[in-house]
Amino acid sequence: EPEVTQTPSHQVTQMGQEVILRCVPISNHLYFYWYRQILGQKVEFLVSFYNNEISEKSEIFDDQFSVERPDGSNFTLKIRSTKLEDSAMYFCASTRDHSTDTQYFGPGTRLTVL
Amino acid sequence: GENVEQHPSTLSVQEGDSAVIKCTYSDSASNYFPWYKQELGKGPQLIIDIRSNVGEKKDQRIAVTLNKTAKHFSLHITETQPEDSAVYFCAASMASGFQKLVFGTGTRLLVSP
């Protein structure tokens, strides 16, 4: 069964450094999302992406964040200058098309900012 | 915006018992309600979902009910097994091409043998 994959599984970085989290959505999916989950808290929406454009973003997704689909398979989340409070699990998700609602989540990347 | 409340935060049951987790939502425009199971160190996995044109949906030991008037929906797990132990999240969204999921705070379910 097709899966969303994410790399790395764990990323440790120093405050102020840039990080790129990578996702490979399910191959025939068209809608892509990033969510984050601070330890012990709920999963929070960050951004949705369709047709090479951001379609919606939350207030968390400020100018330090950006997303890109650099090729036909990868979907990346970049944090330009990490802060301590960016430490969280970051989940990528994808949906096939607008006729279905099911979002399939990847296993997540644990980001630790020191 | 949408806000989803979820109760209880923890639930302990004996194997074979039933478990019920309840969620309420605030935005009457929400019309899609999935439930996700999250095991330790893994991403959320969809276990069942319901749309607002349906009041109840069942899949083997799992069922979800929806009360649009009261704006609440519930997950029912019957004949619980130890492997059901996990964190369960409810979510709500307005089903569309770009819908985002708004999650509840999660319920940690522990099923004891």
Side-chain angles (χ1 to χ4, degrees):
Chain A
E1 185 174 321
E3 295 181 326
V4 177
T5 59
Q6 290 184 243
T7 53
S9 58
H10 191 189
Q11 174 89 48
V12 181
T13 190
Q14 295 291 325
M15 190 170 55
Q17 295 297 303
E18 173 183 288
V19 295
I20 298 176
L21 310 183
R22 302 180 193 280
C23 168
V24 179
I26 295 172
S27 63
N28 61 346
H29 285 196
L30 301 177
Y31 297 82
F32 314 114
Y33 311 83
W34 283 101
Y35 292 82
R36 80 170 186 191
Q37 185 180 31
I38 295 172
L39 187 63
Q41 298 186 22
K42 68 169 75 176
V43 177
E44 301 174 288
F45 169 77
L46 291 178
V47 65
S48 57
F49 190 86
Y50 169 72
N51 199 26
N52 286 318
E53 290 184 344
I54 289 175
S55 46
E56 186 175 1
K57 59 184 180 179
S58 71
E59 60 274 10
I60 302 168
F61 194 89
D62 62 21
D63 292 345
Q64 294 300 311
F65 290 86
S66 62
V67 289
E68 191 178 33
R69 188 154 163 82
D71 53 42
S73 60
N74 289 282
F75 179 50
T76 62
L77 174 69
K78 182 193 289 186
I79 309 175
R80 262 179 275 281
S81 178
T82 49
K83 303 189 275 277
L84 295 176
E85 53 265 38
D86 293 329
S87 295
M89 281 289 286
Y90 288 81
F91 294 107
C92 174
S94 67
T95 300
R96 188 181 65 205
D97 56 41
H98 65 272
S99 68
T100 181
D101 310 305
T102 304
Q103 291 188 23
Y104 296 90
F105 282 74
T109 293
R110 177 169 298 284
L111 176 64
T112 302
V113 182
L114 302 176
Chain B
E2 176 65 277
N3 183 50
V4 178
E5 300 286 340
Q6 183 172 347
H7 301 280
S9 56
T10 58
L11 180 58
S12 294
V13 300
Q14 292 291 318
E15 183 177 2
D17 288 350
S18 295
V20 180
I21 302 170
K22 298 182 179 183
C23 288
T24 60
Y25 61 99
S26 60
D27 192 339
S28 56
S30 290
N31 56 8
Y32 173 65
F33 307 95
W35 286 89
Y36 285 85
K37 176 182 181 182
Q38 186 178 28
E39 297 176 355
L40 195 62
K42 297 185 179 180
Q45 299 294 311
L46 180 75
I47 56 172
I48 195 167
D49 56 14
I50 192 167
R51 289 166 178 78
S52 59
N53 58 344
V54 174
E56 184 174 359
K57 184 176 177 181
K58 191 172 182 180
D59 182 4
Q60 299 183 1
R61 296 187 296 108
I62 295 172
V64 58
T65 59
L66 171 65
N67 183 326
K68 285 190 300 181
T69 303
K71 289 190 278 191
H72 66 71
F73 56 113
S74 300
L75 178 71
H76 304 253
I77 306 174
T78 58
E79 301 172 30
T80 53
Q81 301 165 3
E83 50 265 40
D84 294 329
S85 297
V87 179
Y88 291 81
F89 289 96
C90 63
S93 80
M94 290 177 282
S96 69
F98 308 129
Q99 45 91 7
K100 65 182 182 187
L101 295 175
V102 178
F103 283 83
T105 47
T107 296
R108 183 173 300 280
L109 174 65
L110 177 62
V111 182
S112 302

